[in-house]
Structures are given as C-alpha cells and as structure tokens.
C-alpha cells in the first residue's frame, strides 16, 4: 500500500482499501478545476489505464491515490529502480514512479468523491481540515 503522508481518507475509503480484492488499483476522480486539482493525471481507454504521469493534455482522470499493489508489481519496481538513472528517479513524484507499472501490469481504479479525501500541504489547509474533522469522527 502506497499512501502519501499528506492524504487524509474517510473511514469508508480506508475500509475499501483493505476489503476489496483488486490487486493493482488506485483511487481517481474525474478532472475538476477546483481547489483539489491534481498534478498527476491518468489516461484510461476502455477501462484500461494507459498512462499515469504529469500529463498536460489528453487525460481523463485525476490520480488521488493511494495505490495498492500486488507482490509481482513491487518486484518489477525493484528491478526498474536498478535500471533507471538515479537523478531522474530523485526528481519523480511517487505516483509518477508507480505509473511506470502501466508498462507491466493492468491497473484498476475506483472513483473517489471529494468529500472522502483531503490533502494537507500547508498550515492553512491543516487548520481548515481540523475544523472539518475530529478524531472522534474519524474513529466512528
């Protein structure tokens, strides 16, 4: 399971991650131009993920994450790390790195609603999330 530390997910989404049987999947949403705009995009054709990257055009999904991978995909990534230029990999976001799996495996995705996730990158965002959520709500 690959989850960014700045991503806060609803209980429903966390339960979905652990109960679904999909081996290689991530959460995505239809692109929106709102405050939750995503830099990492995906292109899906006929239900198949073709590309995950910093795509400027010709995409139809925003990648939210997290990613859940099967062992064979992790092994592929370990081999990929050995072959790739270290300076290049140091500049990649983790989701772009994981997007290299589109060459090897079939990704599945599920749509996630904006109410089911928050990203906290700044103190202002943290304070806004604190007002919205409490640990009590998260534990229910």
């Amino acid at each position: 399971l690959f989850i960014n530390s700045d991503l806060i997910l609803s209980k429903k989404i966390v339960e979905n991650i652990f109960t679904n049987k999909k081996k290689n999947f991530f959460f995505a949403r239809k692109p929106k131009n709102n405050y939750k705009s995503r830099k990492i995009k995906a292109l899906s054709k006929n239900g198949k993920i073709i590309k995950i990257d910093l795509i400027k055009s010709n995409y139809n999904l925003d990648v939210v994450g997290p990613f859940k991978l099967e062992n064979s995909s992790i092994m592929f990534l370990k081999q990929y790390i050995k072959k790739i230029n270290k300076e290049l990999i140091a500049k990649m976001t983790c989701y772009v790195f994981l997007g290299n799996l589109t060459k090897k495996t079939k990704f599945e995705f599920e749509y996630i609603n904006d109410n089911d996730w928050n990203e906290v990158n700044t103190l202002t965002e943290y304070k806004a999330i604190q007002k919205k959520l409490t640990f009590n709500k998260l534990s229910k």
Side-chain angles (χ1 to χ4, degrees), residues 17-139:
I17 292 167
F18 290 106
T19 59
N20 78 51
K21 303 296 182 201
K22 296 174 181 163
K23 296 184 188 246
N24 292 299
F25 92 103
F26 63 94
F27 286 100
R29 69 175 195 159
K30 293 181 180 170
K32 295 180 185 179
N33 289 324
N34 67 11
Y35 70 101
K36 287 188 173 184
S37 183
R38 308 298 294 159
K39 290 180 182 177
I40 307 299
K41 310 292 186 186
L43 175 61
S44 172
K45 287 187 180 174
N46 301 322
K48 182 179 181 194
I49 300 297
I50 306 298
K51 186 173 185 170
I52 297 171
D53 207 336
L54 295 165
I55 305 171
K56 301 286 186 203
S57 61
N58 195 26
Y59 63 87
N60 50 15
L61 295 171
D62 283 347
V63 177
V64 175
F67 280 71
K68 184 177 176 181
L69 302 176
E70 64 184 337
N71 285 337
S72 64
S73 295
I74 293 168
M75 296 308 292
F76 172 81
L77 288 173
K78 286 181 178 181
Q79 294 301 315
Y80 180 70
I81 287 172
K82 291 177 184 177
K83 296 176 186 174
I84 193 168
N85 178 300
K86 301 303 180 217
E87 291 175 14
L88 177 63
I89 201 165
K91 294 177 184 177
M92 274 187 203
T93 72
C94 61
Y95 288 171
V96 168
F97 173 69
L98 296 173
N100 284 286
L101 282 170
T102 57
K103 302 168 190 168
K104 166 78 174 135
T105 190
K106 179 184 181 238
F107 269 112
E108 297 180 83
F109 68 93
E110 292 184 20
Y111 287 108
I112 188 169
N113 295 319
D114 278 352
N115 292 338
D116 287 327
W117 67 279
N118 289 284
E119 185 175 23
V120 181
N121 292 316
T122 66
L123 184 57
T124 303
E125 289 173 342
Y126 174 73
K127 288 178 180 178
I129 296 302
Q130 261 189 326
K131 290 177 184 176
K132 251 172 73 171
L133 303 173
T134 64
F135 287 106
N136 189 32
K137 286 182 186 176
L138 290 174
S139 64

